[in-house]
Amino acid sequence: MKISIFAISNLLLSVASSEAFLLSRHSNPSFAVVHHGRTKPQISISGDTSSSQNSRSVIPLRYRNEKGDMDTKNHDTFTHIGLEYAPISLFGKGKTGVTGDLARTLLGGKGANLAEMSNIGLSVPPGFTITTECCKHYNGNWNQKIPSDLWNKILDSIKTIEDDMGSRFGDHRNPLLVSVRSGAAASMPGMMDTVLNLGMNDEVAQGLATKSNNPRFAWDSYRRFLEMFGNVVLEIPRNLFDKEIDIIKLEAGVSEDSELTTEHLKTLVERFKHVYTKMNLSFPSDVTEQLELAVGAVFKGWMGDRAVKYREVENIRNLMGTAVNIQAMVFGNMGNTSGTGVCFTRNPNTGEKTLFGEFLLNAQGEDVVAGIRTPKPISELATVMPEVYEEFQRNTAILEEKYGDMQDIEFTIQEGKLFMLQTRSGKRCGEAAVKIAVDLVHEGLLDERQAVTKVFPEHLDQLLHPRFPNTEDASYKDAVIAKGLPASPGAAVGHLAFTDEKVVENEKNGIPSIFVRDETSPDDVEGMHGAEGILTARGGMTSHAAVVARGWGRPCVCGCHALTLDEEKGIMTVTLPDGTKKTFYEGDVISLNGSTGEVLEGEQIVSPPSITGNFKTFMDWVDESRECDVLANADTPEDAREARKNGANGIGLCRTEHMFFLPERIKQVRQLILGNEQQSEAALKELLHYQRSDFEGIFQEMDGLPVTIRLLDPPLHEFLPSLNDDEIISSLAHQLGKTAHELKEQVTNAQEVNPMLGLRGCRLGITRPSIIEMQTRAIIEAALNSIDKGIDARPDIMVPLVGKVEEFRDQAALIRSVAKQVFDETGKSCDFKVGTMIEIPRAALTAHEIAEEAEFFSFGSNDLTQMTFGYSRDDVGTFIPSYLKKGILMDDPFVTIDTEGVGQLIKMTVDKGRSVKPDLKIGVCGEHGGDPRSVHFFSNEAGLSYVSCSPFRVPIARLSAAQAAIDKSGKQ
């Protein structure tokens, strides 16, 4: 089936993002309503300019001017019904509507763009916009009723359309029809409501037939209105109207709506009215009643399930509501000299500078959206209507120059005359976004900093990971069997594997695996590393599986509660949305979408990452724009190499415990924990060798850049074997010279009630100093060995989980003592710093004391969030979805930093730390370091020196930091 270009806007919705973050994406950040003083930004309204250019009058949209005086000269005030701003903005010929910083906020994207198109002289059907502020009050203290004073103002505004069009609303001899459309500040294609041809009744239909000398057009417009009004305003199911259309086409022996005659359409009008009757409703023939009901329906639609869910998914918030745009109808269904279409000014898939769109003759917009007729490519318009096509080309060039961006345009042709109905920045895929941004600079439409704001972090995410290209296809949607948390982005296809051994076996045989577990542990490292993707039934966004998967760039879906696993038998049972169950066996093929959290049955088509030559050019501009360094969380030389390739300025977190997960190493760690003194010392010597070798490899990859190494942090129980794994227990017991029973008893005794608050971090270092001595020696010896090879090694040693300055003082003294011992032994020395992670609220409260001793701070934002909220990050999946749905939380705080709580602790720490040491280096190395909105906070509000994230998210963090800096400079 051919997919119409009219659906492209919706197909590309996956690259949309939250309204809050849109601030950093536009050179004119008109989305945010942020007031730092008593007065608010002014907006201009232009009056009628048709008589002369000098007659244009500019008045403030606000009711109070900068002196605080009431301004009633040019418009009525509506403060008595709670409005602070004028409720109506006119657009069309001679009316430029609202301009200024709040235009988009109050008029929505559609209304603001209609005003702008009017302002630059394009052919825009006249109309007016009712502001988003009215929507806010309509769904609030107006109790979903339009106040009489506002209603009178709406009727007065209808008269301005009548004057411009030379027709009258409800007049059967010379009728005016209007469209009623929604339009919020953030683009929400397909989520809101539209009513076309409003103003129709039996008398108007007959009058329109006579006036147009085209009865078929008139009755076709009437039946369309009855269907849209019934569905949108009165909530009559659309399928009831579709059924009547199908019946009459069958009776007429035709297959297309366009083949129905005037008499058929008249019959259809009567049958549509009967649909109203069957639903115990009556069609209002009074056109003003139609208008009032339609305006109310659009306002109500803002709180409808579709719109609310869309805003939740796209993280759109802090908007007042939707505007309502009431506009004179122009008709594309008046014969073969009329038509309708949509067009992108550039190809949204490739970025190529060529018109990309489609049109239909003798049609209205919903014909194309519904896919009833196959549209023609926009290039054919040059043959059918060459003059219209030339005008359209000129208009697209004007709009691109005006907005400095690729545009998504809707247009109608009425009897050979072109009308521009809407323009907005077009949705595009990642490859196209980068190319368009670079091309717009080369064409002189943008400067480099403006271009940086045109590419969203989600675009780079597409470029850097494999992805499923057909997520809007029915075949894809039908294949979705479950949904979990999108823990690590990308697309993966493979055969189900329930054990490490099966993944390794598959890998040897060239068979891709999806590693599925209830939850992962360090024992699963081989399976996780060898798999194409990872799926767990439990765990959150910062669980072991999620963190490791992100670090390795593996697509991962966590916390998929619809799964029930029998790992021993290799069976996965999925509870489908309808409550039925489906069983999968080891070896069955499934697909994972780590970007959305979707689990799919069978093999989906995967598109590889698409990096082009434009990418380097664009990222160079990004780096020139940002002020905040971007480092990487990297635990191996391979990770470090990937990080540097992706543009990292160093390593902000090297988690030494991750070096212990390989099978031959974890045996030594277990011997260190569970062995006798002699066995522990032997294990330390082996681990010293491994760690020193890894550090040398990392220093080599990061030559000349800082490497921040965190000493052992997790509780020791994470390294202990499972009591149910008899094979590992037996092997380890033999290694330690113990019986399996003795070993199990020892493992049981080593377990803690609350290990995340138990013996870990600096507490482990204080009680088991030999571990810290070994790690420090490995770091310093590796640095000295690297320097001998001509490598500029720059180690920073980080003490985890400090809550009291005395803890840090103890560990720092031990580290410096060991370093001095190595220097004395070798006769060499090197520079290094000793700092700490701030991840306990008490450390934030006493940061000034710790800053006296520490040479740098790094926020462990995962633990800091966990301890501030009192949420177990491994268990939040059980209640976070409900919290988000109920609005208790606006974001998962383990994904996007909680600026009101955790963020205040971060800012306090920065202030306290730099009050002692003004140049103190302070960064963040938690998972939030790769989240765009969190990066914006860290860079602009907290003033951090750097953020650190997984190697694969470094380009996204670089872009986010650059957009934050541009936003900051724009506000200044």
Side-chain angles (χ1 to χ4, degrees), residues 588-603:
D588 288 348
V589 175
I590 67 167
S591 302
L592 297 182
N593 190 334
S595 302
T596 64
E598 291 168 320
V599 182
L600 301 99
E601 181 177 12
E603 180 178 355

Side-chain angles (χ1 to χ4, degrees), residues 860-871 893-894 897 902 928:
S861 56
N862 300 338
D863 268 320
L864 187 59
T865 297
Q866 178 171 240
M867 296 190 191
T868 302
F869 273 97
Y871 296 166
F894 292 100
I897 198 72
V902 179
H928 301 92

Side-chain angles (χ1 to χ4, degrees), residues 656 659-660 687-695 775 778:
T656 53
M659 298 174 174
F660 298 152
L687 292 172
L688 172 63
H689 167 74
Y690 291 134
Q691 295 240 284
R692 183 172 56 225
S693 175
D694 282 347
F695 292 142
Q775 291 197 298

Side-chain angles (χ1 to χ4, degrees), residues 552-600:
W552 285 342
R554 300 289 190 276
C556 178
V557 175
C558 287
C560 189
H561 300 301
L563 306 185
T564 302
L565 304 180
D566 187 332
E567 296 172 355
E568 199 172 303
K569 294 181 179 179
I571 298 174
M572 178 177 81
T573 304
V574 181
T575 302
L576 302 175
D578 63 2
T580 61
K581 298 183 185 296
K582 190 159 192 174
T583 302
F584 296 82
Y585 300 92
E586 190 158 70
D588 288 348
V589 175
I590 67 167
S591 302
L592 297 182
N593 190 334
S595 302
T596 64
E598 291 168 320
V599 182
L600 301 99

Side-chain angles (χ1 to χ4, degrees), residues 44-190:
S44 299
I45 293 182
S46 298
D48 194 317
T49 62
S50 56
S51 57
S52 91
Q53 188 172 1
N54 294 330
S55 69
R56 177 177 176 178
S57 60
V58 179
I59 58 176
L61 187 65
R62 278 186 8 196
Y63 294 124
R64 294 188 178 275
N65 61 28
E66 295 303 305
K67 295 180 181 179
D69 300 324
M70 295 299 292
D71 184 351
T72 58
K73 180 178 180 181
N74 295 303
H75 58 275
D76 299 324
T77 61
F78 291 83
T79 53
H80 62 289
I81 56 173
L83 297 181
E84 186 174 0
Y85 298 94
I88 303 290
S89 172
L90 305 177
F91 58 80
K93 183 179 179 180
K95 300 178 182 64
T96 56
V98 171
T99 59
D101 288 343
L102 285 181
R104 193 178 188 93
T105 300
L106 287 170
L107 304 185
K110 191 189 301 286
N113 289 340
L114 285 168
E116 290 283 7
M117 287 196 293
S118 300
N119 193 27
I120 58 181
L122 301 186
S123 297
V124 176
F128 60 93
T129 302
I130 308 173
T131 66
T132 58
E133 188 185 16
C134 294
C135 179
K136 172 187 172 182
H137 288 286
Y138 181 90
N139 288 309
N141 58 351
W142 292 351
N143 297 318
Q144 296 194 336
K145 295 179 181 178
I146 300 174
S148 58
D149 286 352
L150 175 58
W151 179 242
N152 291 334
K153 187 68 175 177
I154 290 171
L155 294 180
D156 287 343
S157 301
I158 287 287
K159 292 176 183 176
T160 66
I161 303 178
E162 292 176 335
D163 293 342
D164 287 338
M165 296 297 291
S167 52
R168 292 290 175 262
F169 191 51
D171 184 347
H172 67 276
R173 290 162 300 189
N174 187 20
L176 168 70
L177 301 185
V178 298
S179 62
V180 179
R181 303 174 189 260
S182 65
S187 180
M188 298 172 59

